[in-house]
Amino acid sequence: GHICVEMDPLWLPRDWKRIGGIDFGFKDPTAFLWGAVAPNKDVFFYDEYYQPGLTSEIHAREIQYRSSQNGTLRFDDILREPKGQSLQIARDFALIYGIFSRACPNADRMSSRLHLAAYLDKRFDTKQPSLRIVKSRCPNLVKEMIGLHYKDQDEQHREGAVERWRGEDHLVDAARYALSCRPTPK
């Protein structure tokens, strides 16, 4: 199956549910993903925002602008990290800029990355993965997913083991937040 696809986000039907995932940062990038959920429950990540070192106001304005450019009229759900500085930034985004998000109900890295990985597996019925990424609009997500792996010298990993990942994971985190309330693909 093909995870990376080439398409114009404006081709996605407007009646598909729109989801987002956000991973706030300052030194590290603030990462935002736009997603659309097809009637068969497949998810298309069709745009990304990825910028470090800017204020919340600049991030919010850019997310609003990019939403208007990629055809996103509304979001049905935006999920984020449930703790830390993200909570205050999310409140600012909501009160000042009208970008509402809610805490990811399952932010445990190991289980939520396994949930994300299930979207990458080929479905039995279609022989295609349940996740598609518009490669030209999400280059950093593609790069992170290719480069994220366990450190070579680590012992065998089991669920619940201490996580030791190598690589940038800001958009991967945004993806796992966005998918956290979606059902696991069949």
Side-chain angles (χ1 to χ4, degrees), residues 65-147:
Y65 173 75
R66 301 246 342 217
S67 293
S68 70
Q69 296 299 301
N70 65 31
T72 306
L73 303 175
R74 55 149 176 70
F75 283 99
D76 296 289
D77 208 1
I78 300 174
L79 287 113
R80 60 170 164 74
E81 185 178 22
K83 60 184 188 314
Q85 187 181 10
S86 294
L87 183 59
Q88 184 58 48
I89 295 171
R91 286 180 183 147
D92 292 345
F93 265 50
L95 292 174
I96 300 169
Y97 310 112
I99 299 174
F100 296 90
S101 62
R102 64 186 178 105
C104 172
N106 180 14
D108 170 67
R109 284 183 184 266
M110 186 65 75
S111 62
S112 61
R113 283 192 176 160
L114 291 171
H115 184 71
L116 170 61
Y119 276 84
L120 303 175
D121 291 337
K122 291 180 184 180
R123 289 174 41 160
F124 180 75
D125 56 346
T126 65
K127 307 295 187 237
Q128 294 293 321
S130 294
L131 177 65
R132 304 291 196 301
I133 301 169
V134 178
K135 186 177 179 181
S136 62
R137 301 291 293 248
C138 302
N140 292 300
L141 176 60
V142 172
K143 182 175 76 172
E144 284 185 6
M145 291 185 80
I146 290 170

